[in-house]
Every structure is written in C-alpha cells, then in structure tokens.
Short mmCIF file of all heavy atoms in Angstrom, two decimals:
data_model
loop_
_atom_site.label_atom_id
_atom_site.label_comp_id
_atom_site.label_asym_id
_atom_site.label_seq_id
_atom_site.Cartn_x
_atom_site.Cartn_y
_atom_site.Cartn_z
N MET A 1 366.80 54.21 9.48
CA MET A 1 366.95 54.48 10.91
C MET A 1 368.36 54.92 11.13
O MET A 1 369.33 54.24 11.04
CB MET A 1 366.66 53.23 11.72
CG MET A 1 365.20 52.72 11.61
SD MET A 1 364.04 53.88 12.08
CE MET A 1 362.54 53.01 11.81
N THR A 2 368.50 56.14 11.56
CA THR A 2 369.72 56.72 11.77
C THR A 2 369.96 56.95 13.24
O THR A 2 369.02 57.44 13.93
CB THR A 2 370.04 58.05 11.10
OG1 THR A 2 369.04 58.92 11.44
CG2 THR A 2 369.93 57.85 9.60
N SER A 3 370.98 56.40 13.76
CA SER A 3 371.27 56.69 15.15
C SER A 3 371.56 58.13 15.44
O SER A 3 372.25 58.82 14.68
CB SER A 3 372.46 55.83 15.57
OG SER A 3 373.54 56.15 14.90
N PRO A 4 371.10 58.61 16.64
CA PRO A 4 371.31 59.99 16.89
C PRO A 4 372.80 60.31 17.11
O PRO A 4 373.50 59.48 17.76
CB PRO A 4 370.66 60.19 18.27
CG PRO A 4 370.46 58.90 18.82
CD PRO A 4 370.37 57.87 17.59
N ILE A 5 373.17 61.35 16.59
CA ILE A 5 374.60 61.80 16.76
C ILE A 5 374.68 62.94 17.78
O ILE A 5 373.91 63.87 17.68
CB ILE A 5 375.16 62.26 15.34
CG1 ILE A 5 375.01 61.24 14.28
CG2 ILE A 5 376.51 62.87 15.46
CD1 ILE A 5 375.45 61.64 12.90
N PRO A 6 375.47 62.74 18.74
CA PRO A 6 375.70 63.82 19.84
C PRO A 6 376.20 65.04 19.24
O PRO A 6 377.08 65.07 18.46
CB PRO A 6 376.59 63.06 20.83
CG PRO A 6 377.48 62.12 20.01
CD PRO A 6 376.50 61.66 18.93
N GLU A 7 375.69 66.14 19.80
CA GLU A 7 376.24 67.43 19.38
C GLU A 7 377.27 67.89 20.31
O GLU A 7 377.15 67.63 21.74
CB GLU A 7 375.07 68.39 19.43
CG GLU A 7 374.10 68.27 18.21
CD GLU A 7 373.13 69.42 18.02
OE1 GLU A 7 373.41 70.46 18.72
OE2 GLU A 7 372.21 69.24 17.44
N VAL A 8 378.39 68.45 19.79
CA VAL A 8 379.37 68.95 20.77
C VAL A 8 379.62 70.36 20.46
O VAL A 8 379.36 70.79 19.38
CB VAL A 8 380.62 68.08 20.62
CG1 VAL A 8 380.54 66.65 21.02
CG2 VAL A 8 381.20 68.04 19.17
N ALA A 9 380.10 71.01 21.48
CA ALA A 9 380.49 72.39 21.26
C ALA A 9 382.04 72.59 20.85
O ALA A 9 382.72 71.66 21.24
CB ALA A 9 380.28 73.25 22.50
N ALA A 10 382.32 73.55 20.08
CA ALA A 10 383.68 73.64 19.55
C ALA A 10 384.04 75.04 19.77
O ALA A 10 383.42 75.94 19.63
CB ALA A 10 383.78 73.15 18.13
N GLN A 11 385.32 75.26 20.04
CA GLN A 11 385.99 76.58 20.10
C GLN A 11 386.70 76.80 19.00
O GLN A 11 387.40 76.00 18.39
CB GLN A 11 386.82 76.65 21.35
CG GLN A 11 386.20 76.46 22.60
CD GLN A 11 387.02 76.59 23.83
OE1 GLN A 11 388.25 76.75 23.60
NE2 GLN A 11 386.59 76.68 25.04
N PRO A 12 386.65 78.08 18.35
CA PRO A 12 387.38 78.34 17.12
C PRO A 12 388.79 78.50 17.59
O PRO A 12 389.20 79.02 18.65
CB PRO A 12 386.73 79.74 16.78
CG PRO A 12 386.15 80.28 18.06
CD PRO A 12 385.67 79.09 18.69
N LEU A 13 389.71 77.81 16.74
CA LEU A 13 391.08 77.89 17.01
C LEU A 13 391.75 78.57 15.77
O LEU A 13 391.74 77.97 14.66
CB LEU A 13 391.60 76.46 17.26
CG LEU A 13 393.14 76.43 17.61
CD1 LEU A 13 393.47 76.93 18.97
CD2 LEU A 13 393.58 75.06 17.53
N THR A 14 392.40 79.60 15.97
CA THR A 14 393.04 80.31 14.86
C THR A 14 394.52 80.05 14.90
O THR A 14 395.17 80.25 15.83
CB THR A 14 392.87 81.85 14.94
OG1 THR A 14 391.46 82.12 15.01
CG2 THR A 14 393.40 82.54 13.73
N THR A 15 394.91 79.37 13.85
CA THR A 15 396.36 79.06 13.67
C THR A 15 397.04 79.94 12.65
O THR A 15 396.32 80.81 12.10
CB THR A 15 396.57 77.68 13.35
OG1 THR A 15 396.02 77.37 12.10
CG2 THR A 15 395.96 76.61 14.40
N ALA A 16 398.23 79.71 12.47
CA ALA A 16 398.89 80.61 11.41
C ALA A 16 398.39 80.34 10.02
O ALA A 16 398.41 81.01 9.10
CB ALA A 16 400.39 80.36 11.52
N GLY A 17 397.98 79.14 9.88
CA GLY A 17 397.47 78.60 8.64
C GLY A 17 395.93 78.96 8.52
O GLY A 17 395.62 79.96 7.90
N GLN A 18 395.12 77.98 8.83
CA GLN A 18 393.73 78.19 8.64
C GLN A 18 392.99 77.93 9.91
O GLN A 18 393.59 77.25 10.76
CB GLN A 18 393.16 77.11 7.60
CG GLN A 18 393.78 75.66 7.83
CD GLN A 18 393.48 74.83 6.76
OE1 GLN A 18 392.65 75.13 5.82
NE2 GLN A 18 394.19 73.64 6.54
N PRO A 19 391.90 78.61 10.02
CA PRO A 19 391.04 78.42 11.43
C PRO A 19 390.60 77.01 11.50
O PRO A 19 390.22 76.34 10.61
CB PRO A 19 389.93 79.47 11.10
CG PRO A 19 389.75 79.62 9.64
CD PRO A 19 391.20 79.42 9.09
N GLN A 20 390.67 76.60 12.63
CA GLN A 20 390.20 75.24 13.06
C GLN A 20 389.13 75.20 14.11
O GLN A 20 389.07 76.32 14.87
CB GLN A 20 391.37 74.34 13.48
CG GLN A 20 392.42 74.14 12.27
CD GLN A 20 393.57 73.19 12.71
OE1 GLN A 20 393.73 72.94 13.83
NE2 GLN A 20 394.34 72.76 11.81
N LEU A 21 388.45 74.13 14.29
CA LEU A 21 387.54 74.11 15.39
C LEU A 21 388.00 73.02 16.38
O LEU A 21 388.40 71.98 16.08
CB LEU A 21 386.17 73.56 14.87
CG LEU A 21 385.41 74.63 13.93
CD1 LEU A 21 384.20 74.05 13.36
CD2 LEU A 21 385.09 75.85 14.90
N LEU A 22 388.06 73.48 17.69
CA LEU A 22 388.60 72.56 18.59
C LEU A 22 387.47 71.99 19.56
O LEU A 22 386.76 72.69 20.27
CB LEU A 22 389.65 73.43 19.57
CG LEU A 22 390.28 72.62 20.64
CD1 LEU A 22 391.35 71.72 20.01
CD2 LEU A 22 390.97 73.50 21.56
N VAL A 23 387.31 70.72 19.35
CA VAL A 23 386.30 70.05 20.23
C VAL A 23 386.95 69.74 21.56
O VAL A 23 387.97 68.90 21.66
CB VAL A 23 385.83 68.75 19.59
CG1 VAL A 23 384.96 67.98 20.51
CG2 VAL A 23 385.11 69.01 18.25
N VAL A 24 386.59 70.48 22.60
CA VAL A 24 387.37 70.37 23.84
C VAL A 24 387.16 69.04 24.48
O VAL A 24 388.19 68.54 24.97
CB VAL A 24 386.79 71.56 24.88
CG1 VAL A 24 387.56 71.46 26.12
CG2 VAL A 24 386.99 72.98 24.10
N GLU A 25 386.02 68.48 24.49
CA GLU A 25 385.86 67.28 25.11
C GLU A 25 385.04 66.28 24.26
O GLU A 25 383.87 66.39 24.03
CB GLU A 25 385.10 67.52 26.57
CG GLU A 25 384.98 66.17 27.27
CD GLU A 25 384.38 66.47 28.68
OE1 GLU A 25 384.09 67.53 28.94
OE2 GLU A 25 384.09 65.52 29.46
N CYS A 26 385.73 65.39 23.87
CA CYS A 26 385.10 64.36 23.03
C CYS A 26 384.09 63.62 23.80
O CYS A 26 384.48 63.10 24.87
CB CYS A 26 386.18 63.41 22.34
SG CYS A 26 385.54 62.05 21.45
N PRO A 27 382.89 63.24 23.36
CA PRO A 27 381.96 62.50 24.05
C PRO A 27 382.36 61.13 24.18
O PRO A 27 381.79 60.30 24.99
CB PRO A 27 380.68 62.67 23.37
CG PRO A 27 381.14 62.98 21.89
CD PRO A 27 382.55 63.90 22.04
N ARG A 28 383.31 60.61 23.46
CA ARG A 28 383.82 59.20 23.53
C ARG A 28 384.94 59.07 24.38
O ARG A 28 385.05 58.25 25.29
CB ARG A 28 383.90 58.70 22.18
CG ARG A 28 384.45 57.33 22.12
CD ARG A 28 384.48 56.67 20.76
NE ARG A 28 385.05 55.37 20.59
CZ ARG A 28 384.70 54.44 19.80
NH1 ARG A 28 383.78 54.65 18.97
NH2 ARG A 28 385.31 53.30 19.82
N CYS A 29 386.04 59.72 24.05
CA CYS A 29 387.28 59.58 24.84
C CYS A 29 387.77 60.67 25.70
O CYS A 29 388.62 60.51 26.43
CB CYS A 29 388.40 59.30 23.75
SG CYS A 29 388.92 60.84 22.70
N GLY A 30 386.92 61.72 25.56
CA GLY A 30 387.18 62.81 26.55
C GLY A 30 388.36 63.75 26.11
O GLY A 30 388.75 64.69 26.81
N ALA A 31 389.02 63.35 25.09
CA ALA A 31 390.15 64.19 24.60
C ALA A 31 389.80 65.42 23.75
O ALA A 31 388.52 65.50 23.51
CB ALA A 31 391.13 63.29 23.92
N THR A 32 390.60 66.17 23.26
CA THR A 32 390.34 67.21 22.29
C THR A 32 390.74 66.80 20.91
O THR A 32 391.71 66.21 20.75
CB THR A 32 391.17 68.48 22.75
OG1 THR A 32 392.53 68.13 22.68
CG2 THR A 32 390.82 69.01 24.11
N HIS A 33 389.75 67.18 20.13
CA HIS A 33 390.02 66.92 18.62
C HIS A 33 389.93 68.26 17.84
O HIS A 33 389.13 69.06 18.24
CB HIS A 33 388.99 65.94 18.17
CG HIS A 33 389.08 64.60 18.85
ND1 HIS A 33 390.33 63.87 19.03
CD2 HIS A 33 388.17 63.79 19.46
CE1 HIS A 33 390.05 62.78 19.62
NE2 HIS A 33 388.83 62.73 19.93
N ARG A 34 390.58 68.31 16.83
CA ARG A 34 390.70 69.46 15.92
C ARG A 34 390.00 69.16 14.60
O ARG A 34 390.29 68.07 13.98
CB ARG A 34 392.01 70.04 15.80
CG ARG A 34 392.51 70.87 16.96
CD ARG A 34 393.93 71.36 16.76
NE ARG A 34 394.90 70.31 16.63
CZ ARG A 34 396.07 70.48 16.49
NH1 ARG A 34 396.56 71.67 16.20
NH2 ARG A 34 396.95 69.47 16.57
N HIS A 35 389.11 70.02 14.11
CA HIS A 35 388.49 69.83 12.84
C HIS A 35 388.65 71.20 12.05
O HIS A 35 388.80 72.14 12.58
CB HIS A 35 387.18 69.37 12.97
CG HIS A 35 387.02 68.04 13.68
ND1 HIS A 35 387.11 66.84 13.12
CD2 HIS A 35 386.67 67.79 15.06
CE1 HIS A 35 386.83 65.87 13.94
NE2 HIS A 35 386.72 66.31 15.16
N LEU A 36 388.50 70.99 10.71
CA LEU A 36 388.54 72.16 9.90
C LEU A 36 387.26 72.75 9.52
O LEU A 36 387.16 73.79 9.14
CB LEU A 36 389.24 71.74 8.50
CG LEU A 36 390.67 71.27 8.63
CD1 LEU A 36 391.22 70.74 7.31
CD2 LEU A 36 391.56 72.32 9.22
N ALA A 37 386.17 72.08 9.87
CA ALA A 37 384.89 72.51 9.57
C ALA A 37 383.93 71.93 10.57
O ALA A 37 384.02 70.99 11.15
CB ALA A 37 384.46 72.25 8.16
N ALA A 38 382.64 72.66 10.60
CA ALA A 38 381.62 72.24 11.40
C ALA A 38 380.86 71.07 10.76
O ALA A 38 381.09 70.91 9.62
CB ALA A 38 380.89 73.47 11.73
N GLY A 39 379.90 70.58 11.52
CA GLY A 39 379.00 69.71 10.88
C GLY A 39 379.31 68.26 11.36
O GLY A 39 379.90 68.08 12.34
N GLU A 40 378.86 67.34 10.71
CA GLU A 40 379.07 65.92 11.12
C GLU A 40 380.44 65.43 10.88
O GLU A 40 380.94 65.52 9.78
CB GLU A 40 378.14 64.93 10.44
CG GLU A 40 378.02 63.51 10.99
CD GLU A 40 377.12 62.60 10.22
OE1 GLU A 40 376.11 63.19 9.79
OE2 GLU A 40 377.40 61.49 10.27
N ARG A 41 381.11 65.13 11.94
CA ARG A 41 382.56 64.78 11.78
C ARG A 41 382.83 63.33 12.43
O ARG A 41 382.25 62.97 13.41
CB ARG A 41 383.42 65.86 12.49
CG ARG A 41 383.34 67.23 11.82
CD ARG A 41 384.16 67.10 10.53
NE ARG A 41 383.56 67.96 9.40
CZ ARG A 41 383.95 68.01 8.23
NH1 ARG A 41 385.14 67.46 7.87
NH2 ARG A 41 383.33 68.81 7.32
N ARG A 42 384.00 62.81 11.98
CA ARG A 42 384.38 61.61 12.59
C ARG A 42 385.76 61.98 13.33
O ARG A 42 386.68 62.34 12.66
CB ARG A 42 384.59 60.48 11.59
CG ARG A 42 385.13 59.16 12.27
CD ARG A 42 385.26 58.07 11.22
NE ARG A 42 384.02 57.59 10.65
CZ ARG A 42 383.27 56.59 11.34
NH1 ARG A 42 383.78 56.07 12.24
NH2 ARG A 42 382.03 56.32 10.72
N ALA A 43 385.84 61.72 14.57
CA ALA A 43 387.01 61.90 15.38
C ALA A 43 388.09 60.86 15.09
O ALA A 43 387.77 59.62 14.60
CB ALA A 43 386.70 62.07 16.82
N PRO A 44 389.30 61.17 15.24
CA PRO A 44 390.36 60.11 15.09
C PRO A 44 390.32 58.80 16.06
O PRO A 44 390.61 57.84 15.65
CB PRO A 44 391.71 60.99 15.62
CG PRO A 44 391.31 62.39 15.52
CD PRO A 44 389.86 62.44 15.66
N CYS A 45 389.49 59.02 17.16
CA CYS A 45 389.26 57.98 18.00
C CYS A 45 388.08 57.10 17.53
O CYS A 45 387.84 55.99 18.12
CB CYS A 45 388.88 58.45 19.39
SG CYS A 45 387.35 59.46 19.55
N GLY A 46 387.30 57.54 16.52
CA GLY A 46 386.30 56.70 15.96
C GLY A 46 384.92 57.34 16.27
O GLY A 46 383.93 56.81 15.77
N ALA A 47 384.83 58.28 17.03
CA ALA A 47 383.62 58.84 17.56
C ALA A 47 383.05 59.62 16.43
O ALA A 47 383.67 60.22 15.55
CB ALA A 47 383.69 59.63 18.78
N ARG A 48 381.65 59.69 16.38
CA ARG A 48 380.94 60.56 15.43
C ARG A 48 380.16 61.51 16.27
O ARG A 48 379.51 61.18 17.10
CB ARG A 48 380.06 59.83 14.57
CG ARG A 48 380.75 59.22 13.36
CD ARG A 48 379.72 58.88 12.27
NE ARG A 48 378.62 57.99 12.72
CZ ARG A 48 377.53 57.85 12.05
NH1 ARG A 48 377.34 58.38 10.85
NH2 ARG A 48 376.54 56.99 12.52
N TYR A 49 380.24 62.79 15.83
CA TYR A 49 379.48 63.83 16.41
C TYR A 49 379.17 64.94 15.52
O TYR A 49 379.79 65.10 14.37
CB TYR A 49 380.22 64.31 17.75
CG TYR A 49 381.60 64.57 17.62
CD1 TYR A 49 382.22 65.71 16.68
CD2 TYR A 49 382.61 63.83 18.31
CE1 TYR A 49 383.45 65.80 16.61
CE2 TYR A 49 383.94 64.09 18.25
CZ TYR A 49 384.46 65.00 17.36
OH TYR A 49 385.71 65.24 17.25
N LEU A 50 378.26 65.86 15.89
CA LEU A 50 377.92 66.94 15.19
C LEU A 50 378.51 68.14 15.85
O LEU A 50 378.13 68.55 16.87
CB LEU A 50 376.37 67.05 15.07
CG LEU A 50 375.84 68.18 14.13
CD1 LEU A 50 376.14 67.78 12.74
CD2 LEU A 50 374.34 68.19 14.27
N ILE A 51 379.31 68.81 15.06
CA ILE A 51 379.99 70.01 15.71
C ILE A 51 379.09 71.21 15.47
O ILE A 51 378.65 71.66 14.44
CB ILE A 51 381.38 70.25 15.15
CG1 ILE A 51 382.31 69.16 15.33
CG2 ILE A 51 381.93 71.63 15.63
CD1 ILE A 51 383.65 69.38 14.68
N ASP A 52 378.80 71.77 16.67
CA ASP A 52 377.88 73.13 16.62
C ASP A 52 378.69 74.19 16.00
O ASP A 52 379.86 74.46 16.26
CB ASP A 52 377.52 73.50 18.07
CG ASP A 52 376.11 73.12 18.27
OD1 ASP A 52 375.43 72.75 17.27
OD2 ASP A 52 375.75 73.06 19.53
N ARG A 53 377.98 74.96 15.15
CA ARG A 53 378.67 76.12 14.51
C ARG A 53 378.64 77.20 15.63
O ARG A 53 377.50 77.65 16.13
CB ARG A 53 377.91 76.51 13.29
CG ARG A 53 378.73 77.67 12.52
CD ARG A 53 377.82 77.85 11.19
NE ARG A 53 377.79 76.68 10.33
CZ ARG A 53 378.73 76.41 9.43
NH1 ARG A 53 379.81 77.14 9.38
NH2 ARG A 53 378.51 75.33 8.78
N THR A 54 379.80 77.55 16.05
CA THR A 54 379.78 78.55 17.06
C THR A 54 379.33 79.95 16.58
O THR A 54 379.61 80.29 15.47
CB THR A 54 381.29 78.73 17.51
OG1 THR A 54 382.10 79.10 16.55
CG2 THR A 54 381.80 77.52 18.24
N PRO A 55 378.59 80.61 17.34
CA PRO A 55 378.15 82.03 16.95
C PRO A 55 379.30 82.88 16.64
O PRO A 55 380.28 82.91 17.33
CB PRO A 55 377.49 82.48 18.32
CG PRO A 55 377.90 81.59 19.38
CD PRO A 55 378.34 80.33 18.77
N THR A 56 379.22 83.50 15.48
CA THR A 56 380.24 84.34 15.15
C THR A 56 380.49 85.64 16.03
O THR A 56 379.44 86.23 16.27
CB THR A 56 380.03 84.86 13.61
OG1 THR A 56 378.83 85.47 13.60
CG2 THR A 56 380.10 83.67 12.74
N GLU A 57 381.58 85.83 16.47
CA GLU A 57 381.85 86.97 17.28
C GLU A 57 382.28 88.15 16.50
O GLU A 57 382.90 88.11 15.40
CB GLU A 57 383.01 86.68 18.30
CG GLU A 57 382.69 85.54 19.25
CD GLU A 57 383.76 85.38 20.10
OE1 GLU A 57 384.74 86.13 20.12
OE2 GLU A 57 383.82 84.24 20.98
N GLN A 58 381.94 89.26 16.95
CA GLN A 58 382.12 90.66 16.26
C GLN A 58 383.76 90.94 16.39
O GLN A 58 384.18 90.92 17.51
CB GLN A 58 381.29 91.68 16.79
CG GLN A 58 379.85 91.54 16.38
CD GLN A 58 379.10 92.88 16.82
OE1 GLN A 58 379.60 93.58 17.62
NE2 GLN A 58 377.90 93.01 16.23
N THR A 59 384.23 91.17 15.41
CA THR A 59 385.64 91.42 15.36
C THR A 59 385.77 92.94 15.15
O THR A 59 385.25 93.52 14.23
CB THR A 59 386.41 90.80 14.25
OG1 THR A 59 385.84 90.96 13.03
CG2 THR A 59 386.46 89.26 14.65
N SER A 60 386.45 93.62 15.97
CA SER A 60 386.72 95.10 15.79
C SER A 60 388.05 95.46 15.38
O SER A 60 389.10 94.58 15.57
CB SER A 60 386.30 95.80 17.07
OG SER A 60 387.11 95.25 18.19
ZN1 LIG B 1 387.62 61.17 20.85
#
C-alpha cells in the first residue's frame, strides 16, 4: 500500500551551471524548492512529491 504522492508543477530554472526545476509552492510548507530532476523527490522540509515534467518549449 503506497500513499498517494501529490504532484506539483515545476518551472525550469536555468542557472549558469545546470538546469534546475523550481517547485514554486511546496504542498507542505508553501516555500519554493529547487531540484535537479523531475520525478519523485523529497524536499528539504521533508515533503514528498512528484514533480511534473514540464512540456518542453521550443527554443529558437
Ligand atoms: Zn517544502
């Protein structure tokens, strides 16, 4: 029995180093968390969620 994991939307955040995913509103603490990849993640606050893979935008 696995408890349902909430899905959250993430915005792509491009830094000088590597692209990151920015979870704007954590379902647990309401803060923003940054992650390196989509999928099931554990936030620094202890929350678990599933980061939606954002649709790839066309780059021109
Ligand atoms: Zn949080």
Side-chain angles (χ1 to χ4, degrees):
M1 297 301 177
T2 58
S3 58
I5 301 177
E7 290 188 15
V8 296
Q11 294 181 354
L13 181 71
T14 304
T15 63
Q18 48 192 339
Q20 296 183 347
L21 290 172
L22 185 70
V23 175
V24 178
E25 187 174 357
C26 173
R28 174 171 174 146
C29 70
T32 60
H33 298 309
R34 281 179 291 178
H35 296 277
L36 295 177
E40 186 181 335
R41 293 284 142 185
R42 180 182 291 274
C45 68
R48 274 201 308 167
Y49 44 63
L50 187 67
I51 299 178
D52 258 344
R53 193 177 294 272
T54 56
T56 54
E57 296 181 7
Q58 288 184 347
T59 55
S60 55

